[in-house]
Amino acid sequence: MMKIIAVLLLLAPLALPAAADKDFFSVGSAASPETKSRFAMLDDVRILANGLLQLGHGLKDFVHKTKGQINDIFQKLYIFDRSFYELSLQTSEIKEEEEQLRQTTARLQINNEEIKNLSQEMNLKIEDLIQNKIQLQEQVWGLEDKVTKLAIFQPSVQETKEISSLKAFVEQQDNDIKQLLRIVEDQHEQLDRQHNQIMELEDKLNHIELLELLENSFLEEQQEAEPIPSAVHRPTAGTHRADGSAADCTALYHTGVQTSGVYTIQPNGSEAFNVYCETKFGTSWTVIQKRVDGSLDFNQTWDAYTNGFGDLNEEFWLGLKKIYSITQQGNYLLRIELQDWRGNRRHIEYSFSLGGPSTNFTLQLARTSGSIPNALPEHARLRFSIGDTAGGPSCPQSHPGGWWHSECEETNLNGNYVTPRSRGRLDRGKGLYWKPKKGRYYLLKSTKIMIHPTDLKSFD
């Protein structure tokens, strides 16, 4: 656009003389229509030229104004550059002063350390001088006492011999004491070595015992064919109630819930709570205890064992109150499933009765079937006990975890979880074992305790 305007500005002066010549030659002639048309075109050109001139003057003013603004900007940039340069010089000076201050501070710190060390040395020397002065004074006083005694009394030859013999005796005793100290030190070192050897032997013994326990596989026991429990055929307890709530997992199974998992039940006279139901033998069992990997610590308080703890999908203890509320609905069968570290599985089943809180949840058992020897007392009142309760046997002091005891039996399915890689002193009374009264220990990897309604008669 600017180029077109410039071309028009150049053509305007040339157009004006040509038009003037034409007007000059046409003067005096008759004014024809063509002549009038030419005059009209000349007027248009003049108007256009005048407009272009005004536009040129406007552009010229704009250019001058822009140049002035650019000059102002350049001047401000120049002032900014000078200010920045002066600021950089001041910054450099400040940095140099800061470096000088650092060097001065470092020298002062070094001088301070030297003065401090000299002061400490002087203090030590002064203390040494004071100690030497005290020793010299004591020696002088001792000499004065000896001189005074000699001046008063001159010892006889016999007393001098006795003094010499006493001195020799004291020196001999001193040597004997030093020798005894060396002997005691040698014996102490020997005891340390023996202690370390004993610890190594205990670790080896522990490893050997664990290997022996692993050798005690369930395969060595005569496995019985596992019959379908009688409770599966004729359940009389835990029926489905009219209000829609199930009394236990068996009742839930008969409503159509026939897969294992966590469900809600509500026994008679109890609040609703969640349980894990395991489907097998064409029915469903209520699981009250499960251990699989030792991830849950079963060394819990009485309140925890009463109300339950753990994750129903992993390791857990259902809780004595909940177990009691279920078993009060009728007669139940107790099934214990065990697995050793070689993957062998065994089971044992009992008919049982469970007392309430006033009896410390006393348990009575009678073995009905199983594929392993019994390790729990039958027809005896087994009182549930734990470390923070009184009135029961004192087994929890040596048997961690709550369990039913009569004479501190070595079987405790809530004891410490022991793995074949366990180190340290092996205490069988505190581990997860199955120990028949006349049989070997079985180290357990997993346990599961379940209950199911049955037609078996209750205890008299």
Side-chain angles (χ1 to χ4, degrees):
M1 184 65 184
M2 295 297 294
K3 290 182 179 180
I4 295 172
I5 294 172
V7 170
L8 291 175
L9 289 174
L10 291 173
L11 293 177
L14 296 176
L16 290 175
D21 292 340
K22 291 181 180 180
D23 293 341
F24 178 75
F25 286 114
S26 63
V27 174
S29 62
S32 62
E34 295 180 354
T35 304
K36 292 180 180 180
S37 175
R38 291 177 180 175
F39 279 116
M41 291 176 62
L42 182 60
D43 291 337
D44 292 338
V45 170
R46 287 177 179 174
I47 293 170
L48 176 63
N50 188 23
L52 292 173
L53 286 173
Q54 291 179 358
L55 179 62
H57 287 302
L59 290 173
K60 187 176 180 182
D61 293 338
F62 176 75
V63 169
H64 285 301
K65 186 176 179 180
T66 304
K67 285 183 178 179
Q69 292 177 350
I70 292 172
N71 290 332
D72 292 338
I73 292 172
F74 278 128
Q75 188 174 3
K76 291 179 181 179
L77 287 174
Y78 175 74
I79 295 171
F80 175 77
D81 289 339
R82 284 192 62 86
S83 300
F84 184 78
Y85 176 72
E86 292 175 356
L87 181 62
S88 63
L89 292 177
Q90 293 177 359
T91 304
S92 300
E93 293 176 356
I94 291 171
K95 288 183 177 179
E96 291 176 358
E97 292 177 356
E98 182 181 0
E99 185 63 27
Q100 292 177 358
L101 286 173
R102 288 180 179 175
Q103 294 176 358
T104 304
T105 303
R107 287 195 298 270
L108 290 174
Q109 288 178 349
I110 294 171
N111 294 333
N112 187 25
E113 290 293 331
E114 292 177 353
I115 293 171
K116 189 175 181 181
N117 293 332
L118 290 173
S119 176
Q120 291 178 352
E121 290 178 0
M122 290 179 65
N123 289 331
L124 291 174
K125 289 180 179 179
I126 290 171
E127 290 178 358
D128 292 339
L129 291 173
I130 292 172
Q131 293 293 331
N132 292 333
K133 179 181 177 182
I134 293 172
Q135 292 177 0
L136 289 172
Q137 286 179 349
E138 291 177 352
Q139 291 176 1
V140 169
W141 291 338
L143 290 173
E144 289 177 352
D145 292 339
K146 290 179 180 180
V147 170
T148 303
K149 290 179 180 180
L150 289 173
I152 297 173
F153 175 74
Q154 186 70 27
S156 63
V157 176
Q158 183 66 28
E159 291 176 344
T160 303
K161 291 181 179 180
E162 290 178 357
I163 292 171
S164 299
S165 62
L166 286 173
K167 183 178 180 181
F169 177 75
V170 170
E171 291 177 353
Q172 182 64 34
Q173 291 291 326
D174 185 60
N175 293 330
D176 293 340
I177 291 171
K178 290 180 180 178
Q179 187 176 2
L180 288 172
L181 287 174
R182 285 194 294 270
I183 293 172
V184 170
E185 290 177 355
D186 293 339
Q187 290 179 348
H188 183 69
E189 292 177 357
Q190 291 179 1
L191 288 173
D192 287 339
R193 289 194 295 269
Q194 290 176 356
H195 177 72
N196 293 331
Q197 292 175 357
I198 290 171
M199 294 296 293
E200 292 177 359
L201 289 173
E202 284 184 349
D203 289 340
K204 291 180 181 179
L205 182 61
N206 178 37
H207 183 66
I208 292 171
E209 289 182 350
L210 284 171
L211 290 177
E212 290 178 351
L213 288 172
L214 290 175
E215 290 296 327
N216 295 341
S217 171
F218 285 148
L219 287 178
E220 299 175 7
E221 298 294 335
Q222 184 177 1
Q223 184 173 4
E224 302 174 8
E226 184 171 1
I228 298 177
S230 59
V232 174
H233 301 297
R234 299 181 301 277
T236 58
T239 57
H240 188 66
R241 297 195 295 269
D243 60 0
S245 60
D248 59 11
C249 290
T250 307
L252 197 62
Y253 181 87
H254 292 300
T255 66
V257 181
Q258 299 182 356
T259 57
S260 299
V262 178
Y263 300 98
T264 302
I265 65 171
Q266 186 174 7
N268 293 327
S270 172
E271 296 181 354
F273 54 85
N274 290 336
V275 295
Y276 187 88
C277 299
E278 180 159 329
T279 302
K280 63 192 314 178
F281 307 127
T283 185
S284 184
W285 298 68
T286 305
V287 182
I288 65 173
Q289 186 254 36
K290 185 179 180 182
R291 305 190 71 175
V292 292
D293 56 10
S295 58
L296 178 63
D297 184 10
F298 271 67
N299 192 16
Q300 300 283 340
T301 64
W302 175 261
D303 289 339
Y305 271 100
T306 302
N307 300 312
F309 55 88
D311 184 351
L312 292 175
N313 287 306
E314 301 294 337
E315 293 194 333
F316 68 92
W317 172 259
L318 183 60
L320 293 167
K321 285 184 177 179
K322 297 173 184 177
I323 300 170
Y324 177 73
S325 67
I326 296 173
T327 59
Q328 293 311 295
Q329 302 175 114
N331 298 325
Y332 276 77
L333 182 74
L334 179 73
R335 178 182 175 90
I336 299 176
E337 295 184 350
L338 309 173
Q339 181 185 10
D340 64 16
W341 283 90
R342 293 191 174 184
N344 303 311
R345 299 177 184 273
R346 293 291 183 270
H347 76 281
I348 191 167
E349 295 177 355
Y350 301 92
S351 59
F352 75 100
S353 69
L354 181 66
S358 61
T359 66
N360 280 358
F361 300 98
T362 298
L363 178 69
Q364 286 183 288
L365 298 169
R367 183 179 187 272
T368 59
S369 64
S371 57
I372 192 172
N374 181 33
L376 299 176
E378 294 187 72
H379 306 289
R381 296 177 62 83
L382 308 178
R383 183 173 296 179
F384 198 91
S385 58
I386 197 173
D388 63 350
T389 59
S394 58
C395 301
Q397 297 177 1
S398 58
H399 292 61
W403 191 247
W404 288 282
H405 294 284
S406 64
E407 297 177 356
C408 300
E409 295 77 22
E410 294 178 283
T411 296
N412 178 1
L413 300 186
N414 288 337
N416 290 336
Y417 194 86
V418 180
T419 67
R421 297 180 298 275
S422 299
R423 297 182 59 85
R425 184 66 179 172
L426 181 63
D427 192 344
R428 295 184 177 183
K430 296 182 180 181
L432 185 61
Y433 302 101
W434 185 262
K435 173 62 172 68
K437 191 171 184 180
K438 295 182 180 180
R440 62 187 68 186
Y441 284 88
Y442 294 97
L443 181 62
L444 301 177
K445 181 180 180 181
S446 66
T447 66
K448 188 184 297 179
I449 306 176
M450 307 180 292
I451 58 175
H452 191 286
T454 178
D455 280 332
L456 295 175
K457 295 182 178 179
S458 61
F459 290 91
D460 297 331

